[in-house]
Amino acid sequence: MVLKHPPMGWNTWNTFGEDINEKLIMDTADIMAESGLLEAGYEYLVIDDCWAERERDPATGKIVPDKKKFPNGMKFVSEYVHKKGLKFGMYSCAGVRTCANYPGSFDHEYLDAQTFAEYGCDYLKYDYCFKPDSIDGQVLYRRMGLALRSCGRDIVFSMCNWGKDDVWSWARSAGAHLYRSTGDISDNFSSFKEIAVSQMPKLGYSATGCWNDIDMLTCGMYGKGNVALGGCSDEEYAAQFALWCIFGVPLMLGSDLRSMNEATKRLVTNRELIQIDQDPDGRPPLCLPLDQDSQERFVVFKLLSDGEYALGFFNMSDKKRMLPLYFEKLGIPFASGYGLQLTDVFTGETLEVQRECMTPLIPAHECRVYRAKMVRVAG
Ligand code: GAL
């Protein structure tokens, strides 16, 4: 199975942590299917950690769903999710216990892959806590990669080892479709800024079939929920979503969809940004820092299919700043005779053709993102 685009969906962890149950999943599935999210591309509904009983079934050795949270079992939930036209994702861990101390899949990889296939699972997030010291992490991810390939069902393998052990260099060969490259996001500006900046030198490893995963989005959490530490403004959420899209990484929503406001919905269903994220060429962007020793201001330029481009200016500093860009840094010197025609992805406004350079003035923590075409401006 080839994962042609970075996956889009929703995951329970950011808002709900341990507080998950069948009703939450079914209600969220309804909303995804009926509110335009599925139509916008959000197709995976993923149950993260804390879905199981604390111990395996002693008779079968299988992990079993928590009977209070999921009284009708997982197949029932997955069938409901599928009926809504969505795909169903679950979670386990390469170690002996999950990060929240539920049974992990260590030494049960093949049995568990089989169990996930029986549930009708389409996606498995696979974490890295409680790994025995005696064994190499890469070996354990390879094991689950092979177990999933042989379980008789197409299951997206979402490795989550937080970027340890140079994961970008072997994730693809281990069968992963995506690999988490960072620690956990918190719902505040400095957390997502740090995560994004940390991956700028490594985005070149991300490509069709196996994508760099920089964690679930916090857009729309406004400081509420499991990973909420402060919250963000709408402008900051816009910068977060735009970064994820221009980086071409998975778009997994993490807010409570039952109470999503209009501003969040408009942002996360922004068609232009989603197209930039899901571009069929799957090319990584060029990231150009504008300051010598910091990543406070940067430009991101991504080649899209059909000869188009995405151009983003990110002011991650705490002050309103100019972001001067000379197009020669993008490969378009003055002598080329070409300029850029830019359409703002948030407002739809088209600017006059820009040539040689431009210097947008951008408020603190905000961005400007354009869809661009190269146009001939001189003989
Ligand atoms: C972390 C992981 C989070 C979440 C959590 C569950 O290791 O990075 O995304 O899955 O475990 O316990």
Side-chain angles (χ1 to χ4, degrees), residues 29-306:
D30 292 348
I31 293 165
M32 287 175 78
E34 286 149 27
S35 71
L37 286 171
L38 173 59
E39 211 181 320
Y42 295 95
E43 58 175 343
Y44 290 95
L45 188 161
V46 181
I47 302 181
D48 207 284
D49 203 352
C50 311
W51 59 271
E53 288 286 346
R54 289 281 177 188
E55 300 303 331
R56 288 174 179 270
D57 176 348
T60 61
K62 288 184 171 183
I63 308 189
V64 277
D66 183 308
K67 287 180 199 59
K68 288 207 190 78
K69 295 176 181 171
F70 297 99
N72 294 296
M74 277 304 167
K75 196 153 171 53
F76 172 82
V77 179
S78 106
E79 276 169 7
Y80 189 87
V81 167
H82 285 146
K83 251 190 250 146
K84 294 280 160 179
L86 298 160
K87 292 181 174 158
F88 182 59
M90 292 201 68
Y91 164 101
S92 190
C93 182
V96 288
R97 306 289 288 175
T98 71
C99 299
N101 196 22
Y102 292 82
S105 289
F106 175 73
D107 256 352
H108 295 79
E109 292 85 358
Y110 283 77
L111 175 64
D112 290 354
Q114 200 57 54
T115 306
F116 291 123
E118 283 161 17
Y119 290 158
C121 199
D122 306 298
Y123 179 113
L124 179 70
K125 174 171 169 182
Y126 204 51
D127 219 333
Y128 202 43
C129 287
F130 300 106
K131 178 191 81 68
D133 284 342
S134 55
I135 190 153
D136 187 39
Q138 192 179 148
V139 170
L140 295 183
Y141 279 103
R142 286 180 182 280
R143 267 197 212 171
M144 187 48 105
L146 291 184
L148 290 174
R149 285 166 71 93
S150 56
C151 75
R153 193 177 165 87
D154 278 346
I155 299 183
V156 170
F157 185 27
S158 163
M159 281 178 31
C160 178
N161 84 339
W162 322 301
K164 301 260 186 243
D165 313 327
D166 295 343
V167 64
W168 50 89
S169 67
W170 54 267
R172 188 176 289 267
S173 73
H177 298 97
L178 45 155
Y179 55 95
R180 255 284 287 288
S181 52
T182 66
D184 287 13
I185 199 166
S186 307
D187 182 26
N188 59 62
F189 177 77
S190 49
S191 169
F192 82 75
K193 171 184 171 185
E194 192 184 312
I195 281 178
V197 163
S198 79
Q199 290 311 297
M200 293 202 313
K202 301 199 186 107
L203 291 170
Y205 295 92
S206 184
T208 302
C210 186
W211 306 93
N212 187 332
D213 170 5
I214 62 173
D215 209 356
M216 285 90 70
L217 295 153
T218 65
C219 300
M221 288 182 65
Y222 299 107
K224 288 196 212 99
N226 188 37
V227 304
L229 280 174
C232 296
S233 66
D234 282 332
E235 291 73 23
E236 290 170 340
Y237 284 136
Q240 177 184 132
F241 192 70
L243 271 171
W244 264 234
C245 288
I246 203 162
F247 279 10
V249 293
L251 301 177
M252 301 300 284
L253 303 171
S255 66
D256 184 348
L257 302 187
R258 300 169 307 177
S259 53
M260 184 181 263
N261 68 13
E262 275 310 308
T264 306
K265 189 164 169 208
R266 212 176 316 119
L267 174 66
V268 303
T269 57
N270 181 303
R271 203 197 284 254
E272 295 289 331
L273 283 171
I274 291 176
Q275 273 178 9
I276 290 169
D277 181 74
Q278 303 277 300
D279 186 74
D281 266 12
R283 291 187 190 276
L286 165 75
C287 301
L288 285 174
L290 299 181
D291 302 294
Q292 256 190 349
D293 301 316
S294 83
Q295 306 283 10
E296 297 287 278
R297 297 177 304 161
F298 51 84
V299 169
V300 186
F301 185 61
K302 178 172 173 175
L303 278 58
L304 304 175
S305 52
D306 298 330

